[in-house]
Amino acid sequence: MALDWFKKVESSKGLFAVERISLVYNAITTILIVLLYTRMDHPGIMLLERAGIVAITFGLIYLYQKYPCRLSAFIRMIVQMSFLAYWYPDTFEFNRLFPNLDCFFASAEQFLFGCQPSVEFSKLCPDIWFSEPFNLGYFAYYPLIAIVAIYYFVFRFDLFEKASFVIVTSFFLYYLIYIFVPVAGPQFYFPAIGMDNVTACNFLSIGDYFNHNDILLPGPGFEQGLFFELVEASQEVGERPTAAFPSSHVGISTILMIMAWRVNKKLCYGLAPFYVLLCCATVYIQAHYLIDVFAGWISAIGIYILSTWMYKKWFASRYFRLVLNR
């Protein structure tokens, strides 16, 4: 049964789990900014942005205390999820200071598969019947997150805080990896070394090249396709040479499938076609190496288990503990 969004609940003066982990990640990256201050382009602005996120967080807590209902609880948690759009490109501000590692990943790809799957896949399937479904799958990434989160809110409100926490914490764990493992992926690395070197299997080390360059390879596929254009537009606006290994698109979507399976198998079956297309699309559009996809699948299991354990052990808020124990 769907819940009443405006049903009053017991007001809680504490932080929700998703707010706590957001503040923890905020603090960790703030410390990194201080340590790397002299090497960063705009550390002062980054610190102010973090202070703004903290201010918004506590402003929403105040709003919730004045109007304690399920909708205001939802707003508190969904705003933290929306901040992920800020935290993702933020990883680039850190990892571009370190030597790029794409040369090792492209070399490993060549050694394992005898080719560059991201190049060969798009060459093998260039027409609209492959391009559009794959781009649809890639574009479905954020709708998948929204669908699973809203399903938990509407139908399993007792688990909504846990679901939000697992999603946001999973992103933060991937983001910490991206900060210290600077891999940009084929769509950035191949233009940096030139396709002639890719063809010759000369995978050059480019050092901190991405500290000053962010040229993005145009995506392959049917260029007049609607979803091709949507993916291209979104990448031009928000993509950075970061976050290639492991693939968070694959990892997070795998976690979403696990979460959907646990509460409604029909929901999981309904999302499955988009999940399969998304996993294929990460390589097809050259956002990731194939080994990034394998790492995404493997890491998803560990990150899901870890984030679930963290919620139960440290982060569950008092209000949702009461809901769970009823």
Side-chain angles (χ1 to χ4, degrees):
M1 180 181 296
L3 57 78
D4 180 357
W5 286 47
F6 296 96
K7 180 179 179 179
K8 289 187 177 181
V9 297
E10 176 187 348
S11 178
S12 171
K13 294 182 179 180
L15 296 165
F16 286 160
V18 72
E19 293 166 335
R20 294 180 186 182
I21 196 64
S22 178
L23 291 174
V24 169
Y25 183 81
N26 194 322
I28 291 171
T29 54
T30 296
I31 292 171
L32 283 175
I33 292 171
V34 173
L35 294 175
L36 299 170
Y37 195 92
T38 57
R39 298 178 58 193
M40 305 191 81
D41 281 348
H42 49 276
I45 293 174
M46 294 173 69
L47 291 174
L48 286 174
E49 290 169 343
R50 281 159 170 75
I53 289 174
V54 172
I56 292 171
T57 297
F58 284 95
L60 290 173
I61 293 173
Y62 174 77
L63 176 67
Y64 172 78
Q65 290 172 353
K66 287 185 68 69
Y67 306 102
C69 65
R70 287 177 170 176
L71 179 59
S72 57
F74 174 79
I75 292 172
R76 282 176 64 178
M77 284 182 270
I78 212 68
V79 165
Q80 295 302 323
M81 295 177 71
S82 71
F83 283 147
L84 294 171
Y86 167 80
W87 293 120
Y88 166 67
D90 185 74
T91 63
F92 174 59
E93 300 300 327
F94 297 98
N95 68 30
R96 67 179 181 168
L97 302 177
F98 305 114
N100 173 264
L101 302 177
D102 277 81
C103 57
F104 300 108
F105 284 81
S107 297
E109 195 96 329
Q110 192 73 33
F111 173 78
L112 291 171
F113 307 110
C115 66
Q116 293 297 309
S118 62
V119 174
E120 299 304 322
F121 190 10
S122 56
K123 285 182 179 179
L124 183 65
C125 307
D127 58 56
I128 189 172
W129 304 109
F130 293 97
S131 174
E132 280 297 275
F134 288 144
N135 278 283
L136 166 63
Y138 198 81
F139 189 74
Y141 180 53
Y142 288 106
L144 285 177
I145 298 171
I147 289 168
V148 173
I150 291 172
Y151 182 90
Y152 269 84
F153 175 74
V154 174
F155 298 104
R156 291 303 307 270
F157 185 72
D158 58 319
L159 296 176
F160 177 61
E161 184 191 46
K162 177 183 176 183
S164 301
F165 177 85
V166 168
I167 292 171
V168 172
T169 301
S170 297
F171 270 104
F172 284 153
L173 291 171
Y174 278 117
Y175 290 171
L176 286 174
I177 295 172
Y178 299 151
I179 287 173
F180 297 106
V181 184
V183 184
Q187 62 184 346
F188 285 103
Y189 177 62
F190 290 169
I193 65 171
M195 289 305 297
D196 53 339
N197 278 312
V198 175
T199 303
C201 302
N202 296 324
F203 303 113
L204 308 175
S205 175
I206 57 175
D208 66 348
Y209 171 88
F210 290 119
N211 192 24
H212 308 287
N213 301 274
D214 59 356
I215 299 172
L216 176 67
L217 187 71
F222 186 75
E223 295 183 0
Q224 286 73 46
L226 171 63
F227 289 105
F228 175 92
E229 292 180 353
L230 288 172
V231 169
E232 283 291 288
S234 64
Q235 290 218 310
E236 287 177 6
V237 171
E239 195 56 76
R240 302 287 190 280
T242 181
F245 180 86
S247 169
S248 61
H249 274 72
V250 172
I252 295 295
S253 61
T254 301
I255 290 169
L256 292 171
M257 295 300 288
I258 295 171
M259 294 170 63
W261 177 265
R262 290 178 64 87
V263 292
N264 188 324
K265 292 180 174 56
K266 290 182 179 179
L267 174 64
C268 184
Y269 294 143
L271 298 179
F274 299 97
Y275 168 71
V276 173
L277 289 171
L278 187 153
C279 291
C280 294
T282 58
V283 178
Y284 181 84
I285 72 167
Q286 301 182 357
H288 291 279
Y289 304 104
L290 184 54
I291 54 178
D292 300 338
V293 175
F294 294 146
W297 284 327
I298 295 169
S299 62
I301 305 301
I303 285 178
Y304 176 77
I305 293 171
L306 175 59
S307 58
T308 300
W309 178 81
M310 289 170 63
Y311 175 77
K312 293 179 179 178
K313 184 72 173 179
W314 294 319
F315 287 94
S317 67
R318 177 177 176 272
Y319 168 66
F320 279 88
R321 286 186 187 276
L322 291 174
V323 171
L324 288 169
N325 291 330
R326 284 174 185 169

